[in-house]
Amino acid sequence: MPRTPKAAPQMPSTMKELKDTLWKAADKLRGSMDASQYKDVILGLVFLKYVSDAFDERRAAIRAELLAESYDEEQIAGLIDDTDEYTGRGVFWVPTNARWGFLAERAKGSGPSMNAPEKSIGALIDEAMDAVMQANPQLNGTLPRIFNRDSVDQRRLGELVDLFNSARFAAQGQGGSDGRRARDLLGEVYEYFLEKFAAAEGKRGGEFYTPAGVVRVLVELLQPTRGRVYDPCCGSGGMFVQAEKFIDAHHGEGSDISVYGQELNERTWRMAKMNLAIHGLTGQLGSRWGDTFARDLHPDLEADFVMANPPFNIKDWSRSEDDPRWRYGVPPAGNANYAWIQHILSKLAPRGQAGVVMANGSMSSNSGGEGRIRAEIVEADLVSCMVALPTQLFRSTGIPVCVWFFAKDKGARAGEVLFIDARNLGHMVDRAERALSDDDIARIAGTFHAWRGIDSDAALDEYENVPGFCCSATLAEIKAADYALTPGRYVGAAELEDDGEPIGEKLARLRAELEAQFAESARLAEVVREQLGRVS
């Protein structure tokens, strides 16, 4: 008896519901797969959906243009497959067997049944990945081919393909702003999945994901709206994506920046390539992954902006004492923190700026000559701002973190460093993780912009020191503090609010309360002694 086709699932109406629904569906596929393979399967599927949707949108737009010019169907058929019409608009060419419609038609039939196709849905997706990479050389070696393995449940994979098909990220038959919206939606899903994978993997998740709030602190302070943007340890590309969002929010174009990056881990490098493609960014991430210290893929780069979250306190790293990057001193063999800082400084253009996430210990450590290196960097007047962040922003580590900001040209603020103590900002989203709100980020960025005299949406009218929060210190003051860059040393304690009670009356009241508490303590001690006496 033939099976009754299942109705297409009803998709949620809000973006949050959509992301949650897709994640729950994807999570069913986990099965016996390890976390890294599972991540590759899901993110690869999201990427394939994106390139196919973008291709369909462009194809519909070409057809509409030709019809408007009175071309007949035969002429349209001869012109609509011109690859230049796609690649020239930044759209990947997608061969027939890699288009989502082709796969979705075959997804429902996967699994054991008399009507099952000759090939599993996993085999078809592997072939689709191959086809997309062959048609687009810039994606060569990027896409995963792991969908037909024994550990992948083919029935659930087919159900997931069907669910993604029902999501319809693309506006059927339309291009233009609708196409951009479709790309943005799928980009949000990709970022959401990255965040969920990072949370699921715990400490290892920090290898490829930096919390969005932390990335926004870097982006909002630096405002990378044009020029060359570099990340020497780019993870899954979150710094670049947030920069593109900032540009879009300020009515710019992503093409106004050129993206350069490097990543050591192969799987993470693949994720970054896909993430940039989904967000419409053409990134120079090298033809393969690689160690930034052992082989710098961008040796001659002069970056306008560098944004990075290097791995903290790496003990085993590729160190050469005569490396020309160690202009301010040779970093210790047992910790790469100052190697990352000096590598980043070596990449800055004459007016370049950088923001680097570091462990708090980097601000005051003197081990292995780090104190001398820090003193040299401070005296070179390269440090523009130090921000101490609240704890628990990273699920992957409990180490308190800070952000170093550098500038080759500090303008009117030459000879000064701004210190911001933001440790009391943020709110707990659950028992394990804290997040920064829009207002928190705006307060940090606005303080920095006011200090620099930068006109921005977040900038305050005029900078002033705020006890307990921010302070502008001179190089002489920093030298007197033995070049420690911990904001708490400079901002001091917050001023206490005046509650209107005269100090004499307050002291008398507090003394009376304390005496009463002492008396109560003595009474309770006597009661305990009596009870113990009865027991003995």
Side-chain angles (χ1 to χ4, degrees):
M1 182 176 177
R3 294 181 298 175
T4 303
K6 291 190 295 184
Q10 293 295 311
M11 294 307 298
S13 57
T14 70
M15 190 59 195
K16 182 182 184 306
E17 290 173 346
L18 173 62
K19 291 187 291 190
D20 288 344
T21 298
L22 292 176
W23 172 257
K24 288 175 183 175
D27 203 39
K28 292 179 181 178
L29 190 61
R30 188 187 300 270
S32 60
M33 285 185 283
D34 62 49
S36 57
Q37 181 189 0
Y38 168 61
K39 181 166 74 255
D40 290 343
V41 167
I42 301 304
L43 295 177
L45 206 59
V46 174
F47 181 79
L48 191 60
K49 173 65 171 169
Y50 161 71
V51 295
S52 185
D53 280 4
F55 178 86
D56 288 344
E57 287 170 351
R58 179 60 190 148
R59 194 174 185 83
I62 294 170
R63 180 179 180 80
E65 291 167 6
L66 294 175
L67 286 172
E69 295 175 14
S70 300
Y71 283 80
D72 59 34
E73 290 297 333
E74 185 175 346
Q75 291 172 312
I76 291 174
L79 294 171
I80 203 167
D81 288 329
D82 182 356
T83 56
D84 290 342
E85 289 291 336
Y86 298 83
T87 58
R89 296 293 188 93
V91 175
F92 294 109
W93 174 261
V94 182
T96 303
N97 68 325
R99 296 170 193 170
W100 197 265
F102 176 89
L103 297 171
E105 288 176 2
R106 290 153 179 80
K108 292 182 181 180
S110 60
S113 83
M114 62 183 299
N115 296 320
E118 293 181 5
K119 294 182 180 179
S120 68
I121 184 61
L124 293 173
I125 295 174
D126 279 347
E127 291 177 359
M129 294 293 183
D130 276 338
V132 171
M133 288 190 286
Q134 289 171 6
N136 304 276
Q138 66 270 43
L139 293 177
N140 190 36
T142 299
L143 307 184
R145 294 188 69 266
I146 54 177
F147 296 85
N148 199 38
R149 295 183 179 178
D150 292 340
S151 56
V152 180
D153 185 320
Q154 296 298 305
R155 178 182 61 81
R156 287 179 173 169
L157 178 60
E159 290 174 354
L160 188 58
V161 170
D162 191 30
L163 186 67
F164 268 77
N165 187 56
S166 302
R168 301 202 181 281
F169 292 99
Q172 298 298 315
Q174 298 180 34
S177 60
D178 290 322
R180 176 60 182 268
R181 178 59 179 159
R183 193 198 81 192
D184 289 346
L185 288 174
L186 206 47
E188 278 195 51
V189 169
Y190 193 93
E191 291 170 56
Y192 176 77
F193 278 13
L194 284 174
E195 180 181 4
K196 297 290 282 186
F197 285 126
E201 293 187 32
K203 185 174 182 179
R204 288 194 60 199
E207 295 176 2
F208 63 85
Y209 182 78
T210 304
V214 177
V215 179
R216 283 189 58 204
V217 169
L218 275 68
V219 171
E220 294 290 338
L221 266 71
L222 294 178
Q223 298 183 305
T225 55
R226 79 299 177 268
R228 298 171 294 274
V229 179
Y230 174 59
D231 184 347
C233 42
C234 65
S236 53
M239 299 288 181
F240 304 134
V241 169
Q242 198 63 54
E244 188 268 343
K245 288 184 175 182
F246 180 85
I247 293 170
D248 186 54
H250 291 78
H251 311 294
E253 293 290 337
S255 58
D256 292 341
I257 61 172
S258 300
V259 168
Y260 298 83
Q262 187 162 345
E263 171 54 40
L264 174 62
N265 183 279
E266 175 188 355
R267 290 179 183 272
T268 306
W269 175 81
R270 295 176 192 276
M271 284 193 289
K273 296 267 283 187
M274 290 189 287
N275 199 10
L276 294 189
I278 283 178
H279 286 88
L281 292 170
T282 302
Q284 308 295 325
L285 304 186
S287 58
R288 59 184 292 112
W289 53 98
D291 185 334
T292 302
F293 294 130
R295 181 171 175 266
D296 181 7
L297 296 181
H298 308 287
D300 301 318
L301 176 66
E302 289 192 343
D304 299 291
F305 301 95
V306 182
M307 298 183 293
N309 174 26
F312 302 154
N313 305 321
I314 294 297
K315 292 178 172 58
D316 183 17
W317 60 284
S318 182
R319 178 177 179 266
S320 173
E321 291 195 2
D322 59 356
D323 195 311
R325 289 174 286 189
W326 315 149
R327 182 175 175 181
Y328 305 99
V330 180
N335 195 315
N337 286 348
Y338 278 83
W340 285 114
I341 286 174
Q342 292 193 81
H343 170 78
I344 286 165
L345 290 174
S346 76
K347 292 298 182 186
L348 290 181
R351 296 179 63 84
Q353 299 180 69
V356 189
V357 182
M358 279 278 155
N360 271 6
S362 65
M363 298 188 289
S364 57
S365 171
N366 290 312
S367 61
E370 290 180 334
R372 293 192 299 274
I373 297 173
R374 184 171 60 253
E376 291 290 334
I377 292 172
V378 170
E379 289 296 339
D381 205 13
L382 292 169
V383 182
S384 62
C385 180
M386 299 295 300
V387 180
L389 293 175
T391 59
Q392 295 180 274
L393 291 175
F394 288 76
R395 281 185 180 269
S396 57
T397 178
I399 297 175
V401 301
C402 60
V403 186
W404 295 60
F405 288 94
F406 301 100
K408 279 291 193 75
D409 180 1
K410 294 182 350 190
R413 288 296 184 176
E416 296 179 68
V417 176
L418 174 64
F419 292 92
I420 298 177
D421 190 344
R423 289 176 297 173
N424 292 326
L425 300 185
H427 59 279
M428 300 301 294
V429 293
D430 55 38
R431 294 179 63 184
E433 186 176 7
R434 183 183 299 272
L436 294 170
S437 68
D438 291 345
D439 289 342
D440 293 333
I441 296 169
R443 185 183 181 191
I444 297 170
T447 300
F448 177 74
H449 295 159
W451 180 78
R452 283 294 304 266
I454 298 171
D455 184 21
S456 75
D457 295 340
L460 309 174
D461 292 336
E462 186 175 346
Y463 173 80
E464 60 180 21
N465 291 340
V466 177
F469 181 69
C470 63
C471 175
S472 183
T474 65
L475 297 191
E477 291 173 309
I478 296 171
K479 182 178 180 180
D482 198 23
Y483 296 101
L485 297 178
T486 309
R489 283 177 173 259
Y490 302 92
V491 304
E495 293 180 348
L496 297 176
E497 293 184 11
D498 184 0
D499 57 9
E501 185 178 10
I503 188 65
E505 294 179 13
K506 179 179 290 188
L507 287 173
R509 175 177 59 79
L510 292 175
R511 181 172 180 173
E513 290 177 0
L514 185 60
E515 292 292 347
Q517 289 169 357
F518 283 157
E520 178 64 9
S521 176
R523 186 188 69 80
L524 292 174
E526 188 60 34
V527 170
V528 171
R529 288 191 190 97
E530 289 179 8
Q531 294 298 326
L532 289 174
R534 291 176 182 175
V535 171
S536 60

